[in-house]
Amino acid sequence: MSASTPTKHLASCIFCKIIAGEIPSFTLLSNDKVHAFMDIGPIAKNHALVIPKYHAPRFTDTPDEYAAEILPAAKKVAKAIGCDEYNILQNNGRNAHQVVDHVHFHIIPKESDSDDSGLGIGWPTQGLSMDQIKEEYEKVKSRM
Ligand code: AMP
Ligand code: ZN
């Protein structure tokens, strides 16, 4: 078994400050790998966040042992919120709506379709042909 990756902290990062207890959070769960807390700019009631205790700007930068703890924590938080319908969202990069450059998973309850709370998603299907999909698939597969 490999040695565990030590936590990585960036002094100027707001989520690293939360992890270090330098600024407060409404903490739901905290262990050696992840921290879960309420979002203070919620787009729905009980909007919560789960973050690794490792400063990484993008999901792909997150060491596996931290990434592995995220989904069990998100599941626990979603169960505690008690919402039946919800989205789990993780943004990477400005074009993908990331504002805080420390990996975070949103748990966003979707109360109903009749109000505007929760996540609104566009789903712009691109109409790619099977040949186009296959061409991209071959490239991705070769890098796996
Ligand atoms: P994103 O657009 O994916 O980067 O989302 C960043 C999220 O972090 C937003 O939903 C903010 O409301 C939330 N946020 C920023 N600062 C804090 C904070 N100090 N405590 C809790 N949530 C925060
Ligand atoms: Zn950070």
Side-chain angles (χ1 to χ4, degrees), residues 13 16 55 102:
C13 168
C16 283
H55 182 83
H102 181 129

Side-chain angles (χ1 to χ4, degrees), residues 120-138:
I121 304 180
W123 204 265
T125 305
Q126 297 295 298
L128 295 181
S129 68
M130 281 301 157
D131 283 345
Q132 288 170 310
I133 293 168
K134 185 163 183 283
E135 192 183 326
E136 296 308 317
Y137 160 74
E138 303 287 3

Side-chain angles (χ1 to χ4, degrees), residues 23 33 39 51 61 76 86 92 95 107 112 114 122:
I23 60 171
K33 294 288 188 285
D39 193 305
I51 63 175
D61 304 323
K76 208 166 174 186
Y86 52 95
N92 294 275
N95 286 325
I107 294 139
S112 77
S114 58

Side-chain angles (χ1 to χ4, degrees), residues 9 15 18 41 45-46 97 102 110-111 114-115 124 136 140:
H9 177 89
F15 286 176
I18 285 177
K45 241 187 275 171
N46 295 320
H97 215 289
H102 181 129
K110 190 74 187 174
E111 292 282 337
S114 58
D115 65 22
E136 296 308 317
V140 175

